[in-house]
Amino acid sequence: TAAPIIQNRPSAHLATGPQQEQRTFYEFRTYSIRPDQNSAFLKLTNEKIHLRTAHSQLIGYWTVEYGGLNKVFHIWQYDSYSQRAAVRAALAQDPSWISEYISKALPLLTAQDNEVLYLVPWSRLKSPPQQGGVFELVTFQMRPGGPAVWGGAFQAAMSAHDAPGYGKLLGAFHSEFGLLNRVHALWWFESADHRAECRHRAHTDARVVAAVRNSVAHLDSQRNQLMFPCPFSPMK
């Protein structure tokens, strides 16, 4: 008789990391604005954002200054997927939101994108040490394998920058929906020049250089964006 055919099954742990313990997740939204309507969109949002924040918690809302043009980036917090579904359903039935904001805002945009993320297990969302300053969103596209493979090296690289004061790490997030194996680090600096000074000092720190060298072995690409908080942003 013929030998039984043994099928190779994909390894169950290939793209998984530590089990997610927290239910709280964050939705990252990026909107691209028509270049000739950037001021109009920001003015409208500043006047009507209260219609949106009445439904769920806004963490921060920024304009992208470097690393992207005519873009805004915002973070929303949810306790569960059912809460988010309820929020979206309520917004769809909110006449003020529809007539006063979304119907006017959508024609000003060229694209919308979102991701769902969790804080990495060792990170907690922090507030900036003071109001003002600039924020940097650093996006790392890691190689497949998940935090179980690259989590330790990534944490070491972040801590090597954060602990000596080469910037203030406000949160590190890994993707659940959107491109997988993507990690975002949200940093705060006193100013763009302060950020440049911190980068220069970090490049001469042997501990940072060693930690980054170990981390980049798991890295496919990286993107940096410097952002300014909007007047209505809770985090600023």
Side-chain angles (χ1 to χ4, degrees):
T1 59
I5 298 175
I6 300 176
Q7 294 182 341
N8 291 326
R9 297 181 179 179
S11 176
H13 67 271
L14 180 61
T16 62
Q19 184 175 359
Q20 187 65 46
E21 296 180 356
Q22 296 186 358
R23 293 182 61 192
T24 299
F25 66 86
Y26 301 86
E27 182 178 8
F28 283 17
R29 284 186 164 242
T30 301
Y31 295 170
S32 299
I33 309 167
R34 286 173 47 188
D36 61 334
Q37 298 295 335
N38 193 62
S39 296
F41 176 84
L42 293 174
K43 181 177 184 294
L44 176 65
T45 304
N46 185 56
E47 294 172 351
K48 301 298 182 179
I49 191 66
H50 65 279
L51 298 174
R52 179 61 183 83
T53 54
H55 291 272
S56 64
Q57 183 178 357
L58 174 64
I59 299 299
Y61 205 114
W62 298 266
T63 59
V64 178
E65 182 69 13
Y66 300 113
L69 294 175
N70 302 302
K71 292 181 182 292
V72 292
F73 170 76
H74 32 127
I75 302 176
W76 300 85
Q77 179 177 318
Y78 295 98
D79 296 328
S80 65
Y81 291 100
S82 59
Q83 184 214 355
R84 183 188 182 277
V87 167
R88 303 305 299 178
L91 285 168
Q93 300 297 321
D94 185 334
S96 297
W97 166 252
I98 294 171
S99 64
E100 297 180 32
Y101 183 74
I102 200 66
S103 62
K104 299 177 181 178
L106 287 179
L108 309 180
L109 302 178
T110 61
Q112 294 174 288
D113 189 32
N114 75 335
E115 295 178 82
V116 170
L117 307 103
Y118 291 96
L119 285 164
V120 298
W122 50 267
S123 178
R124 295 294 179 267
L125 188 62
K126 300 176 182 177
S127 298
Q130 65 190 51
Q131 288 198 355
V134 300
F135 296 75
E136 183 178 15
L137 183 69
V138 186
T139 301
F140 303 91
Q141 187 60 47
M142 310 300 288
R143 293 180 180 173
V149 174
W150 43 255
F154 177 80
Q155 180 180 358
M158 294 298 99
S159 299
H161 285 83
D162 187 37
Y166 302 135
K168 178 69 174 178
L169 182 63
L170 304 180
F173 309 80
H174 66 94
S175 59
E176 181 73 9
F177 293 104
L179 273 177
L180 297 183
N181 297 298
R182 176 179 280 188
V183 190
H184 299 277
L186 183 63
W187 296 86
W188 177 89
F189 299 91
E190 294 177 8
S191 66
D193 287 325
H194 175 234
R195 186 257 183 198
E197 294 169 4
C198 288
R199 291 277 293 174
H200 177 73
R201 288 190 287 116
H203 289 165
T204 62
D205 188 325
R207 294 167 299 180
V208 173
V209 172
V212 169
R213 183 180 294 117
N214 290 333
S215 179
V216 296
H218 306 285
L219 182 67
D220 272 343
S221 63
Q222 177 180 333
R223 180 183 177 89
N224 296 38
Q225 297 180 94
L226 199 71
M227 312 182 300
F228 294 161
C230 293
F232 54 83
S233 176
M235 184 180 285
K236 55 187 170 186

